[in-house]
Amino acid sequence: MAHAALTGVNLAFYGATGPGVDRASALSVMDSLMTDPAVGAPLLLGHYVFTLGVLLVAVAVIRSRQLGRWAGWAVVAAVVSDIVLGSLPVPGLLGDVVSGSLLVVGFAALGLQLMRDPQSRPAV
């Protein structure tokens, strides 16, 4: 839901740049969206909860021993590289490319394995 709310904030920013919008009112709304903790905290918390969910899926894949464990480790490495490269003085694009690539490779491998091999599907 936090990602949906973030999309709503981005749409509000886009709407505030329209030609018929009162600039003072738009600035007031933008300032509230950017500085009010009641708006920012749930959006930021959503990112942490999403990351925690991704890590839990990766740990479940690793521990299950039914799917490619390397794919679970690739997802873990994606999260770790995003955190580490995001805190180092390197270009932001480098961290995005590395972590995004690891995440796509890990989840794509899991998806392909689940679609191809019916025996590897976990029992429900």
Side-chain angles (χ1 to χ4, degrees):
M1 291 188 56
H3 289 292
L6 187 58
T7 301
V9 170
N10 287 333
L11 287 173
F13 285 161
Y14 177 74
T17 62
V21 176
D22 178 33
R23 299 292 179 206
S25 298
L27 184 61
S28 173
V29 169
M30 287 180 157
D31 183 53
S32 175
L33 288 173
M34 294 301 293
T35 59
D36 189 7
V39 174
L43 295 176
L44 190 58
L45 182 63
H47 289 291
Y48 291 127
V49 171
F50 178 76
T51 302
L52 180 62
V54 167
L55 282 174
L56 289 174
V57 167
V59 169
V61 166
I62 293 167
R63 292 188 50 140
S64 74
R65 299 182 190 260
Q66 291 185 355
L67 301 170
R69 293 180 75 191
W70 69 268
W73 284 113
V75 173
V76 170
V79 173
V80 170
S81 68
D82 191 45
I83 293 168
V84 170
L85 292 174
S87 63
L88 293 177
V90 297
L93 183 60
L94 177 67
D96 293 343
V97 168
V98 170
S99 64
S101 298
L102 287 168
L103 200 63
V104 167
V105 166
F107 278 128
L110 292 173
L112 288 172
Q113 187 173 2
L114 285 171
M115 287 190 308
R116 268 194 242 155
D117 186 12
Q119 298 301 321
S120 68
R121 292 190 182 119
V124 180

